[in-house]
Amino acid sequence: MNFEDFIILPKFLVTEKWQLGSHFKDELPEDGIALLWVSDNKGAGGSAEVQDFHKFRRELYKLSALDFDVPVYDFGDLVSGKSVQDTHYILQEVLSACHYKRTIPVVIGGSNDFSYSLFSALNFHQKDISYTQISNVVSLSNEGEEINEKNFLSRIFSSKNFSIKNYHHLGYQKHLNEVDSIKLIKEVEFDVVRLAEMMNSTAKTEPYFRNANLVTVNCDAVESMSEPFSLHPQVNGLNRREICAYMKEAGLSSKLQSVGIFNLDIETDHVLNHQLLAQMVWYLMEGINIRRSHPKEKKLETFWVLVDDSEYAFQRDTFSGLWYFGDSGNLEDCLPCSQEDYDQAKKGYLNTRLFNFINR
């Protein structure tokens, strides 16, 4: 496929040598990061008209490049298809090109249902996908012939062709959700975490990002300021510092292969919204760069805890300080956890997540 027929190249922006924009590559790199901007919001009841991302790019390009080593490429703006299905198809072709080069695609804009395309494209290259989504709503609707933001998740779960290992849904708000949807997610032993548990610190929910292959963010989960930040703006949500911190956590995942930032209000004129999106992407890049610099071999300390006459092992990575539940020397067989999980275990309490892991 000739991508030039479906992508509008980004406009040239003058930047200084120390700024991020001056370090972007001229072609899709291997083992890098690729930005792709999408205008199609039909899956959320919006339009598919080509939008101008210039203001967002300007804020991103002028941020510091620091000592980033991971190459970055800006594909440009994806031209929407005649139908939502057409856009999904074109997007998946671009994503697949990135996966062949082991480059992490970062899709910015478009409605939240494009998470389906990210999952589908990744599923072609990777099985047993661990998927973490930040979203204020959990919708498991089966209604509608075309994929939309309300039914895409149920289509991922029900597809016989998809291989999903873990699903973590973070940031849901009780007053916006059906109780039955939350119960169903928990019944299949996937994780659902309320907004209140994510505020002020990333420590408790960092384990849900650690082994994530795919991370998507529904911008409706971010609180809006004086002007809407998302397609369905909310007065409550993650604040500006918190969402940037979580983007960094996503970048730190050693298995990250694809990222989406959806339901953004592309038409916003508020410079603070432009800056927020730019800094979300920047912190994601920082996390990816930090992770690439970590030593591949891990040195672990093991701590045994007695709970109800049974012993359980917790392991701590001496370099990163991150915790795992389980005594296997292969961390693939252990469960990422937090220091709080370990501290609670010392008090005689294993939470539901750890208990389910033992009895899986």
Side-chain angles (χ1 to χ4, degrees), residues 136-139 169 172-179 181-182:
N136 59 337
V137 293
V138 180
S139 178
H169 194 111
Y172 90 94
Q173 299 179 37
K174 289 196 298 183
H175 56 279
L176 299 176
N177 286 275
E178 295 181 32
V179 174
S181 295
I182 307 301

Side-chain angles (χ1 to χ4, degrees), residues 61-339:
Y61 281 33
K62 71 183 185 181
L63 297 177
S64 174
L66 290 186
D67 55 352
F68 291 176
D69 290 326
V70 179
V72 182
Y73 175 67
D74 190 338
F75 258 114
D77 304 347
L78 188 74
V79 177
S80 302
K82 291 183 179 180
S83 68
V84 174
Q85 299 293 346
D86 290 339
T87 310
H88 277 277
Y89 173 76
I90 298 168
L91 176 59
Q92 288 178 43
E93 290 295 314
V94 178
L95 294 171
S96 189
C98 294
H99 294 316
Y100 275 118
K101 287 182 172 286
R102 300 176 307 280
T103 282
I104 299 171
V106 181
V107 180
I108 305 165
S111 47
N112 200 36
D113 54 287
F114 285 108
S115 300
Y116 179 92
S117 284
L118 269 67
F119 193 100
S120 180
L122 182 57
N123 186 76
F124 183 78
H125 299 266
Q126 162 82 36
K127 302 304 178 184
D128 295 328
I129 294 172
S130 181
Y131 174 23
T132 297
Q133 179 183 191
I134 297 178
S135 180
N136 59 337
V137 293
V138 180
S139 178
L140 298 176
S141 171
N142 288 309
E143 298 179 0
E145 294 183 4
E146 291 192 332
I147 298 173
N148 58 58
E149 65 173 359
K150 293 183 179 180
N151 65 22
F152 82 89
L153 196 56
S154 64
R155 294 200 178 191
I156 289 176
F157 291 158
S158 62
S159 175
K160 295 180 180 179
N161 298 320
F162 286 168
S163 175
I164 185 166
K165 181 179 181 180
N166 295 305
Y167 175 68
H168 312 298
H169 194 111
L170 312 181
Y172 90 94
Q173 299 179 37
K174 289 196 298 183
H175 56 279
L176 299 176
N177 286 275
E178 295 181 32
V179 174
D180 290 343
S181 295
I182 307 301
K183 286 183 178 179
L184 184 57
I185 293 287
K186 292 181 178 179
E187 284 174 3
V188 295
E189 296 185 3
F190 287 150
D191 298 296
V192 187
V193 179
R194 289 177 54 207
L195 170 65
E197 299 177 67
M198 298 181 67
M199 298 169 65
N200 301 319
S201 172
T202 63
K204 188 172 183 179
T205 47
E206 175 277 329
Y208 300 115
F209 292 92
R210 200 180 308 168
N211 289 334
N213 305 114
L214 169 63
V215 175
T216 65
V217 177
N218 177 353
C219 288
D220 296 335
V222 180
E223 65 180 15
S224 286
M225 296 172 280
S226 58
E227 185 173 313
F229 179 64
S230 66
L231 294 180
H232 312 300
Q234 296 293 325
V235 65
N236 286 311
L238 295 169
N239 65 32
R240 289 163 284 179
R241 295 178 182 85
E242 289 164 348
I243 190 60
C244 287
Y246 281 111
M247 295 304 294
K248 183 175 180 178
E249 294 292 357
L252 286 169
S253 169
S254 60
K255 299 181 179 180
L256 186 67
Q257 292 171 277
S258 197
V259 179
I261 304 173
F262 302 120
N263 278 20
L264 171 74
D265 183 0
I266 305 169
E267 298 179 354
T268 177
D269 288 324
H270 204 306
V271 66
L272 296 183
N273 283 337
H274 305 155
Q275 289 178 359
L276 177 56
L277 175 65
Q279 291 180 29
M280 286 169 61
V281 176
W282 188 91
Y283 276 101
L284 172 71
M285 292 180 181
E286 183 189 33
I288 293 171
N289 276 272
I290 291 173
R291 179 63 205 180
R292 297 279 177 92
S293 69
H294 284 185
K296 294 183 179 180
E297 293 186 7
K298 297 182 183 295
K299 294 183 179 180
L300 301 169
E301 294 178 310
T302 303
F303 302 85
W304 290 91
V305 177
L306 185 65
V307 180
D308 295 333
D309 298 325
S310 296
E311 281 191 320
Y312 301 99
F314 287 81
Q315 299 187 71
R316 186 175 70 89
D317 184 335
T318 58
F319 178 81
S320 65
L322 298 178
W323 289 82
Y324 296 84
F325 180 63
D327 61 354
S328 174
N330 180 9
L331 291 182
E332 296 291 329
D333 298 325
C334 297
L335 180 70
C337 65
S338 66
Q339 183 172 344

